[in-house]
Amino acid sequence: MVVVTGQSGASADPDDAMSSSEAEDDFQEPATPTATQAGPALPLRPPQFPEVVPLNVGGMYFTTRLSTLRRYEDTMLAAMFSGRHYIPTDAEGRYFIDRDGTYFGDILNFLRSGDLPPRERVRPVYKEAQYYSIGPLLDHLEDVQPLKGEKVRQAFLGLMPYYKDHLERIIEIAKLRAMQRKARFAKLKVCVFKEEMPITPYECPHFNSLRFERSESETKLFEHHCEVDVSFGPWEAVADVYDLLHCIVTDLSDRGITVDHQCIGVCDKHLVNHYYCKRPIYEFKITWW
């Protein structure tokens, strides 16, 4: 009888033997599948919007058709309700847009039937159309007043590259003087001149003979800076000094600044021969409260 003991395998070929670590590997729990091992993920279903869409725009409620919101495909509203984005809803299930809804009705009226807002609402509706990227509405609004006139005005102001900087300087000087004096208002001198040459309407006939014949050295004799706080000019356009003054006062008023102005004379700086500067000087009064 041949008795086989537990040591009989010890004499076996070492190459055929299984190491203890390999044996342990055979009895390990299978690894959890990784993301690369997992099967393909199921595609997410795009959100389904109802045909009639309830909206909550900054606390104001609107109802419109889904096709109205998608009227122009390149707009923000069309992208929001395309199904590619998540839109939160309020407690009543209305789709919420975190934007002031005061003029959203004008936006919807244009998307529905192409209606434009009345003139007094053109500017704020234009701002909303920019936010929602509604190009056709922007084009229509730019072609009506007051935006059409504003384009013409900006073309004129484009002749003066430092116009906005000068407005800021007026505000800063007036604020500093009022705070230093602890006063309700402040005054400053502003020069507004259209022509580089020192002429007045009464001197034009006498000066025109020299106007186009001056040498470079003679031209430098006429170059100087008036003793004022801020100076606007010169420019070449039909618009005159009073047109620019209107722009300055309008733009300051649009920023909530109360301003009065009056002409207090002309610059009397002597330049050459019997010619003096003669640029008009205006006193601006800025009232702060």
Side-chain angles (χ1 to χ4, degrees), residues 38-82:
L42 294 176
L44 297 176
R45 296 182 60 187
Q48 299 294 320
F49 296 105
E51 180 60 27
V52 177
V53 182
L55 298 170
N56 178 346
V57 184
M60 300 183 68
Y61 306 140
F62 302 89
T63 303
T64 188
R65 297 187 64 178
L66 181 62
S67 58
T68 298
L69 298 172
R70 296 175 175 176
R71 177 78 64 191
Y72 300 102
E73 60 181 10
D74 293 332
T75 67
M76 180 187 291
L77 291 173
M80 291 174 63
F81 290 90
S82 64

Side-chain angles (χ1 to χ4, degrees), residues 209-270:
S209 59
L210 297 176
R211 181 171 183 173
F212 303 105
E213 299 175 2
R214 289 183 298 169
S215 65
E216 183 177 349
S217 60
E218 289 174 331
T219 301
K220 291 182 179 180
L221 295 175
F222 292 89
E223 294 178 355
H224 80 288
H225 298 285
C226 303
E227 295 181 359
V228 295
D229 298 297
V230 182
S231 185
F232 292 84
W235 67 89
E236 295 182 3
V238 174
D240 59 20
V241 169
Y242 300 104
D243 295 321
L244 183 57
L245 283 170
H246 180 272
C247 291
I248 296 172
V249 173
T250 298
D251 289 336
L252 290 175
S253 299
D254 287 344
R255 299 181 60 172
I257 296 174
T258 302
V259 54
D260 296 306
H261 69 280
Q262 63 177 342
C263 184
I264 58 174
V266 296
C267 176
D268 288 327
K269 183 177 179 61
H270 179 255

Side-chain angles (χ1 to χ4, degrees), residues 103-257:
Y103 303 102
F104 192 75
D106 293 301
I107 297 293
L108 286 181
N109 286 337
F110 176 79
L111 295 177
R112 288 166 177 154
S113 55
D115 292 343
L116 298 179
R119 180 174 177 177
E120 62 271 15
R121 293 207 299 268
V122 165
R123 291 183 185 274
V125 173
Y126 184 84
K127 183 178 180 180
E128 294 304 297
Q130 287 179 312
Y131 177 79
Y132 292 110
S133 301
I134 306 176
L137 178 54
L138 292 173
D139 293 339
H140 280 81
L141 293 178
E142 288 175 357
D143 201 37
V144 300
Q145 287 289 64
L147 295 183
K148 190 171 184 177
E150 181 63 18
K151 291 176 66 175
V152 177
R153 191 178 81 100
Q154 290 300 326
F156 162 57
L157 293 178
L159 299 175
M160 286 161 284
Y162 300 107
Y163 175 76
K164 292 183 178 180
D165 294 335
H166 292 339
L167 287 183
E168 293 297 331
R169 182 168 174 78
I170 289 175
I171 296 171
E172 288 302 317
I173 292 175
K175 182 178 71 173
L176 180 61
R177 289 181 181 173
M179 293 180 66
Q180 289 175 340
R181 296 176 58 245
K182 308 299 188 292
R184 180 185 177 192
F185 62 87
K187 295 180 180 180
L188 62 158
K189 293 181 180 180
V190 178
C191 178
V192 181
F193 65 101
K194 179 179 179 180
E195 302 288 348
E196 180 68 40
M197 293 160 291
I199 58 175
T200 67
Y202 305 102
E203 297 169 329
C204 281
H206 305 287
F207 193 79
N208 280 343
S209 59
L210 297 176
R211 181 171 183 173
F212 303 105
E213 299 175 2
R214 289 183 298 169
S215 65
E216 183 177 349
S217 60
E218 289 174 331
T219 301
K220 291 182 179 180
L221 295 175
F222 292 89
E223 294 178 355
H224 80 288
H225 298 285
C226 303
E227 295 181 359
V228 295
D229 298 297
V230 182
S231 185
F232 292 84
W235 67 89
E236 295 182 3
V238 174
D240 59 20
V241 169
Y242 300 104
D243 295 321
L244 183 57
L245 283 170
H246 180 272
C247 291
I248 296 172
V249 173
T250 298
D251 289 336
L252 290 175
S253 299
D254 287 344
R255 299 181 60 172
I257 296 174

